[in-house]
């Protein structure tokens, strides 16, 4: 039986499955198998990037699955080293995937010091207009970067994919997203490898007969985030999808809200440090 994952309406009229499968650090040699497992257990949304060097494996998994392309949501991202030639890089991504369009194309990092992200955003707008990306967005953008692209082009990114997990809930950035109709997509949704061992999560998990990972992903769904957990293991991929048969209470949500450490909870690279 295929799990029905809710969708989030984006600001350009498309709808993205709220739970997807990420393939960061998935070995290119094993990506076809691992992404294929994800499709078999029911995912219909895969998040890759040129920088992961595994777009070819994602495309292979899609073709092997027999699932119609239009039933899938595939996101890829412009690599940092390609900001000076986004059009060529985009075409290379399409070629690697073996598709004639992607559902979502993102600028992977703003590269604040380099400072050409507004021009890069204009290239993504052209790609959108060509129909080869159904939606466009950004990743790791902070408020100042978002404000600049909106001011300079009048086109608001559909999505901002950022580090976001129970210990780093990104309240200010999310408030800006909500004001501007930008969907929030969480990377490191599980914390990026070491799940939080907070007793609160253990207690909530026990109360629902679920795992901590499932509770955390359910929290993402209930607070309106798009989440893209990764697992090399088929059974964990299936476990992470099995979160639509229970609901966290208002009290449980507020206990999880209390786990936020603000900036102190950040585990990955700060966007201003990425060069
Ligand atoms: N835009 C960006 O800059 C950016 C940066 C980082 C990530 N991302 C995207 O976000 C996706 C998710 O991030 P991520 O993969 O780094 O971190 P994550 O999904 O938060 O965590 C993945 C880790 O959790 C483990 N795991 C998965 N399911 C589990 C479960 N049910 N129980 C216990 N452990 C479990 C995985 O181990 P096993 O694989 O061994 O199961 C892996 O070590 C990436 O794949 C990528 O698509 C984007």
């Amino acid at each position: 039986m295929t799990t029905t994952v809710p969708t989030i309406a984006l600001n350009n009229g498309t709808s993205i499955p709220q739970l997807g499968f990420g393939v960061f650090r998935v070995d290119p040699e094993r990506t076809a198998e691992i992404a294929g497992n994800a499709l078999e257990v029911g995912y219909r949304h895969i998040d890759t990037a040129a920088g992961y060097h595994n777009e070819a494996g994602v495309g292979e998994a899609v073709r092997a699955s027999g699932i119609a392309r239009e039933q899938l949501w595939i996101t890829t991202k412009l690599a940092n080293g390609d900001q000076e030639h986004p059009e060529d890089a985009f075409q290379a991504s399409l070629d690697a995937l073996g598709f004639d369009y992607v559902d979502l194309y993102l600028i992977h990092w703003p590269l604040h010091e380099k400072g050409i992200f507004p021009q890069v955003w204009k290239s993504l707008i052209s790609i959108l207009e060509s129909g080869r990306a159904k939606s466009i967005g950004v990743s790791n953008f902070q408020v100042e970067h978002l404000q600049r692209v909106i001011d300079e082009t009048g086109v608001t990114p559909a999505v901002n994919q950022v580090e976001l997990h129970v210990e780093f809930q990104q309240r200010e950035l999310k408030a800006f997203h909500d004001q501007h109709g930008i969907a929030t997509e969480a990377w490191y949704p599980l914390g990026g490898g070491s799940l939080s061992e907070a007793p609160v999560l253990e207690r909530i998990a026990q109360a629902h007969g679920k795992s901590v990972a499932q509770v955390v992903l359910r929290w993402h769904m209930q607070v309106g985030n798009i989440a893209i957990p990764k697992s090399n293991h088929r059974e964990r991929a299936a476990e992470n999808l099995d979160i639509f048969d229970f609901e966290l209470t208002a009290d449980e949500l507020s206990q999880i809200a209390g786990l936020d450490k603000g900036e102190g909870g950040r585990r990955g690279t700060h966007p201003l440090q990425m060069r």
Side-chain angles (χ1 to χ4, degrees), residues 69-195:
R69 173 68 187 87
E70 61 274 14
Q71 300 203 350
L72 299 171
W73 182 283
I74 308 293
T75 299
T76 195
K77 314 185 191 85
L78 175 69
N80 292 341
D82 289 331
Q83 284 204 352
E84 268 146 34
H85 41 87
E87 173 60 46
D88 292 347
F90 178 68
Q91 191 54 50
S93 281
L94 286 184
D95 292 347
L97 285 159
F99 298 156
D100 54 11
Y101 72 94
V102 293
D103 296 278
L104 179 62
Y105 195 46
L106 304 178
I107 302 176
H108 207 145
W109 290 85
L111 303 188
H112 182 84
E113 272 187 25
K114 191 177 179 93
I116 64 168
F117 61 88
Q119 289 104 283
V120 179
W121 181 241
K122 286 178 189 158
S123 300
L124 263 67
I125 294 169
S126 303
I127 289 168
L128 176 74
E129 287 168 353
S130 76
R132 292 169 302 149
K134 304 288 183 198
S135 302
I136 52 171
V138 295
S139 177
N140 300 301
F141 273 41
Q142 297 197 286
V143 165
E144 62 181 304
H145 309 117
L146 293 168
Q147 192 67 64
R148 246 188 94 188
V149 297
I150 295 168
D151 290 346
E152 291 193 23
T153 66
V155 179
T156 303
V159 166
N160 188 17
Q161 185 184 113
V162 293
E163 180 181 346
L164 200 170
H165 41 83
V166 292
E167 292 179 355
F168 186 45
Q169 299 187 16
Q170 294 267 27
R171 287 168 210 262
E172 270 176 49
L173 188 58
K174 270 194 81 169
F176 184 90
H177 290 170
D178 292 347
Q179 267 166 22
H180 291 81
I182 301 167
T184 301
E185 183 166 23
W187 62 255
Y188 278 5
L190 297 170
S194 51
L195 277 176

Side-chain angles (χ1 to χ4, degrees), residues 21-26 47-48 52 77 106 108-109 139-140 161-162 186-195 211 213-214 228-233 236-237 239-240:
F21 185 81
V23 295
F24 179 43
R25 295 201 188 106
V26 174
D47 182 90
T48 183
Y52 304 166
K77 314 185 191 85
L106 304 178
H108 207 145
W109 290 85
S139 177
N140 300 301
Q161 185 184 113
V162 293
W187 62 255
Y188 278 5
L190 297 170
S194 51
L195 277 176
S211 68
Q214 288 172 319
I228 43 172
K230 166 260 172 189
S231 178
N232 278 343
H233 300 97
R236 280 181 170 176
E239 172 188 328
N240 295 344

